[in-house]
Amino acid sequence: MRHSELTYSLLAVVFSLGSLNCSCCSDGFCLAPEDCLSCPQGYYQSRTGQMTCLPCSKGTYTNSTGSTECQSCESGFYANETGSKLCRPCLPGYFSEMNATGCESCSQGLFCNSTQCNKCTKCPGGEEALTTAATECTPCRPGMYKQPEDLLCKMCKTGYYQTMVGQESCDLCPEQHYCPSPDVAPIQCPDDAFCPPGSTAPQYCMETFFRKSGDHCVLTPLTIFLLVFLSLIILLITVIIIFRRKKKVRQVDPVRSPLLRKEPFSGQEPHPPYGITWDREPVYAGW
């Protein structure tokens, strides 16, 4: 049995024998009308003339006797039981605020590498804490980066690369190189391809029809020849069609020509009229 519990039991026996007049005491409680006992560590009594002491609540403590009140645990400490004589420090990776009954683990991206932490710290640039209750930070892997205000490492953007660990930024893939993966060093661009800054793959001209010339694509000789030849063919077909249309307009069909004329040919009688004329007498057929 602990000393405080033994003292408390003895005092209870004394009270049961009739020594209950504690008006002489300023605080704590009486052993006899002319004598007072102080509350033990972990207990307090703020009122006069009381028969018992009260245990400190969770999150508070007192490490002295005769206390009239308990003190709150400071940040970085905790008390998870009543009647505490002292507060316990939080372990690395954990923290607490004032009057805490327990410690909380550092969240992802934060760490604490010592005891008695009142808060967790953000990892510096280029480092991260991937687990909760972390006691240290780990560097960002190749192809990743983290700025000081970020919590976790990020992958480099497309067209950027980073081959080192623990970096705060990524580098743009240089001209005449391409970066297929952010954790791979830039690769030299082929001679027949284009690689502007930030390229992830080489860019080629269309084979057969185009070729590289400086920083752009130009037509190949074969393409130029095909275009010229095709243009000549189209021009020739157009000329033939126009010529045939003009020739067809000039030629007139001899069978249809008399019908197209408005006046009869000279020396030729006009065509007799059709039907019956009014200046002739009708001819009657006999019965």
Side-chain angles (χ1 to χ4, degrees), residues 49-179:
Q50 301 300 311
M51 294 186 299
T52 59
C53 292
L54 302 175
C56 294
S57 60
K58 293 181 179 181
T60 63
Y61 78 102
T62 177
N63 56 4
S64 60
T65 59
S67 298
T68 58
E69 62 180 0
C70 297
Q71 299 175 348
S72 298
C73 291
E74 297 180 358
S75 299
F77 294 83
Y78 73 100
N80 60 356
E81 58 184 8
T82 59
S84 296
K85 301 176 183 179
L86 52 84
C87 296
R88 301 174 184 175
C90 293
L91 298 176
Y94 295 83
F95 75 100
S96 69
E97 298 178 351
M98 289 284 294
N99 201 33
T101 60
C103 297
E104 300 180 32
S105 60
C106 295
S107 58
Q108 194 177 31
L110 305 177
F111 79 105
C112 171
N113 57 3
S114 64
T115 59
Q116 308 174 18
C117 285
N118 56 8
K119 65 177 181 178
C120 297
T121 306
K122 187 181 297 183
C123 290
E127 298 181 10
E128 65 181 349
L130 294 175
T131 61
T132 58
T135 58
E136 61 181 0
C137 300
T138 56
C140 295
R141 296 171 293 174
M144 304 185 74
Y145 74 101
K146 188 183 87 67
Q147 297 179 348
E149 63 271 15
D150 296 329
L151 282 178
L152 300 175
C153 297
K154 300 178 181 179
M155 190 70 86
C156 294
K157 297 179 181 179
T158 303
Y160 287 75
Y161 75 100
Q162 183 55 262
T163 58
M164 302 177 65
V165 298
Q167 299 301 305
E168 296 185 11
S169 62
C170 298
D171 298 322
L172 179 67
C173 195
E175 189 176 6
Q176 295 304 318
H177 292 78
Y178 66 96
C179 302

